[in-house]
Amino acid sequence: MTVRVRFAPSPTGYLHVGGARTALFNWLYARSEGGVFLLRIEDTDRARSRPEHTQAILDGLSWLGIEVDEGPVFQADGIERHRAHAGALLESGAAYRCFCTAEALAERRAEAERTGAGHGYDGRCGRLEEAESRGRAEVGEPFALRVRVPAEEIGWVDAIHGPMSFPAGSIDDFIVLRSDRTPVYNLAVVSDDAEAAVTHVIRGDDHISNTPKQIAIYRALGLDLPTFGHVPLILGSDGKRLSKRHGAMSVLAYREKGYLPRGMLNFLALLGWSPGDDREFFADASELTEAFRLDRVLKKGAVFDLEKLAWLNGRHIARSDVSDLARSVLDVLTEAAEAGGTDLAATHPTIQTDAERLASVIELVRERPRTVPALVDQVSPFFALEIEYEQAAVDRFWKRPDEAAGALRALESELPEVSVWEAGPLEAAIRGVADRLDVGAGKVINPLRLALMGQGVSPGIFEVVELMGRERVDRRIATALGYLDAKTAMA
Ligand code: GLU
């Protein structure tokens, strides 16, 4: 049997984190079983479905690298089949015509609320004689179709939760076809899943209450049941259901924020799944596929932790292909230059032409940044014509401008004496300056880092000085001295 799974989003918004996680689990399962991953757009809610949302879902999947094997198919295209299945349910007696109007139902519900009686449908139209039911339909009285739920326990062996069941009498007769002949979700899903020969329905825990109804439909239609697996809800750090407040948003918003698709994929995979050991870093989809097992999906809610996403993304930046990172860096800087009305060749001369140097810089700085913009901030000073000084770093490391200038001035006269411009001799020279000034090395290194990088963090300063090159280092120190002297004069 070939495993066939599907992701069935409603195109009523972007692809959010929870949807992407459901898609990913289906996809990983299909990949790990040599199966097929289908995409079905559940667009029967005409008022809320939009083509741009379908596109956003496709874009989100494609950014993550989740490839669709079949589809997208659109649920609304199956409406005649859904009606035919509803007709078959009526034919066999598994469903009946319900003539209760919306108003009558609402009234009964209000009454039940007052008296504390059960809220569900009382099954009255199910007790009509067939002749009466047919007769009322023939004279044009509107009716919906309701499934007559058998008075028995409905259970299944969930691929994630194990045995689950709903006791007899806990599910009311439910509508499958409205009086305007539009199919209801539970019918459309069963019809579509059966049509597509879906073998495993893997979806969020919020659908558990739909599953017994769908099982009742499968049975009534004589269709083979798929295996159901319900993945745990994603919770915010406060234990509440994930919402925008927790940073739950479109997966594409994470692209905008500078997360790598692999970092995001890795993060999503760990939302409710673990490989069974303490492994957390998965370099790519094939490593995930190899480790993924449906029965290792957790039963309990998964916590959405942005700190973990940032950490994982940082690990991916540290391990990505340098050429991929270079492309991302160039894209971000190009966009920034264009936004400033100029171009990259003007703001960062040689960054596009000296690929080798760009690669060396990326290799040097990539351990620390957790997002692409943070990586760009570290790469940029090695190529930028001008840098800005980050205020927080200025307040911290150039607090006493005269002292900082003193250290930089000493470096200005010492560094030209370094004949081999390499980290080792540079370190000796810089530490020598600190000794001569009789200050700790930090009093020289920190002001220097700010002068070179414009910020308070960088990789090892001696490697930074080496890679930045003699000329640029000289120039940066001179610029910083101009700034510091002006500041001292103003004080
Ligand atoms: N369209 C449903 C949703 O977006 C999913 C239906 C299903 O997976 O069975 O929640």
Side-chain angles (χ1 to χ4, degrees), residues 6 8-10 42 185 189 203 207:
R6 85 305 194 269
S10 307
E42 303 214 316
Y185 158 77
V189 166
R203 58 186 173 194
H207 284 288

Side-chain angles (χ1 to χ4, degrees), residues 6 8 40 42 75 81-82 184-195 198 201 203 207 214 218 228:
R6 85 305 194 269
R40 179 172 69 236
E42 303 214 316
Q75 186 154 63
R81 175 170 28 77
H82 306 150
V184 167
Y185 158 77
N186 279 314
L187 173 68
V189 166
V190 170
S191 175
D192 291 354
D193 284 342
E195 175 74 8
V198 165
V201 171
R203 58 186 173 194
H207 284 288
Q214 295 176 15
Y218 275 101
F228 292 95

Side-chain angles (χ1 to χ4, degrees), residues 159-160 272-277 291-299:
I160 292 156
W273 169 78
S274 110
D277 49 33
F292 189 81
R293 292 216 340 249
L294 201 51
D295 61 8
R296 290 222 51 93
V297 172
L298 309 173
K299 296 181 179 58

Side-chain angles (χ1 to χ4, degrees), residues 174-427:
F174 60 94
I175 293 179
V176 284
L177 195 71
R178 301 182 186 90
S179 59
D180 65 0
R181 297 194 29 85
T182 56
V184 167
Y185 158 77
N186 279 314
L187 173 68
V189 166
V190 170
S191 175
D192 291 354
D193 284 342
E195 175 74 8
V198 165
T199 59
H200 293 72
V201 171
I202 302 165
R203 58 186 173 194
D205 266 0
D206 49 333
H207 284 288
I208 286 180
S209 60
N210 287 318
T211 300
K213 296 180 180 174
Q214 295 176 15
I215 289 174
I217 297 174
Y218 275 101
R219 289 194 180 138
L221 289 171
L223 297 168
D224 288 339
L225 279 179
T227 299
F228 292 95
H230 293 91
V231 303
L233 289 184
I234 303 175
L235 307 175
S237 42
D238 54 1
K240 303 243 166 67
R241 192 179 170 164
L242 190 66
S243 71
K244 286 209 181 94
R245 190 161 49 85
H246 300 106
M249 41 190 181
S250 153
V251 289
L252 290 177
Y254 290 91
R255 175 177 68 182
E256 305 314 318
K257 284 176 173 267
Y259 290 94
L260 300 176
R262 283 178 187 180
M264 195 70 202
L265 208 64
N266 193 160
F267 173 68
L268 290 172
L270 298 178
L271 282 175
W273 169 78
S274 110
D277 49 33
D278 51 14
R279 198 147 80 108
E280 294 201 299
F281 181 85
F282 292 86
D284 54 25
S286 65
E287 277 192 12
L288 280 171
T289 302
E290 204 154 299
F292 189 81
R293 292 216 340 249
L294 201 51
D295 61 8
R296 290 222 51 93
V297 172
L298 309 173
K299 296 181 179 58
K300 290 250 177 59
V303 176
F304 185 79
D305 177 358
L306 283 172
E307 178 56 27
K308 181 149 174 191
L309 169 60
W311 173 77
L312 273 172
N313 202 59
R315 299 327 309 138
H316 280 271
I317 287 178
R319 296 269 302 268
S320 288
D321 267 354
V322 171
S323 57
D324 288 345
L325 294 175
R327 212 167 315 117
S328 303
V329 167
L330 290 176
D331 286 349
V332 172
L333 287 173
T334 302
E335 221 170 272
E338 285 170 2
T342 172
D343 63 23
L344 188 52
T347 61
H348 296 73
T350 77
I351 196 168
Q352 287 155 298
T353 49
D354 196 345
E356 210 173 302
R357 181 149 184 278
L358 176 55
S360 312
V361 170
I362 289 174
E363 293 275 15
L364 176 63
V365 304
R366 63 152 132 199
E367 275 303 320
R368 187 191 302 265
R370 295 173 149 201
T371 61
V372 173
L375 174 69
V376 170
D377 283 346
Q378 291 276 294
V379 172
S380 173
F382 288 84
F383 295 91
L385 212 50
E386 285 172 26
I387 57 168
E388 281 171 19
Y389 303 124
E390 205 179 84
Q391 193 55 47
V394 170
D395 293 344
R396 178 141 182 236
F397 300 119
W398 288 353
K399 196 167 172 202
R400 295 282 313 269
D402 51 340
E403 278 180 14
L408 291 181
R409 220 160 243 122
L411 287 168
E412 194 180 36
S413 57
E414 185 61 31
L415 290 178
E417 305 301 319
V418 177
S419 52
V420 183
W421 194 264
E422 282 172 7
L426 285 164
E427 173 168 4

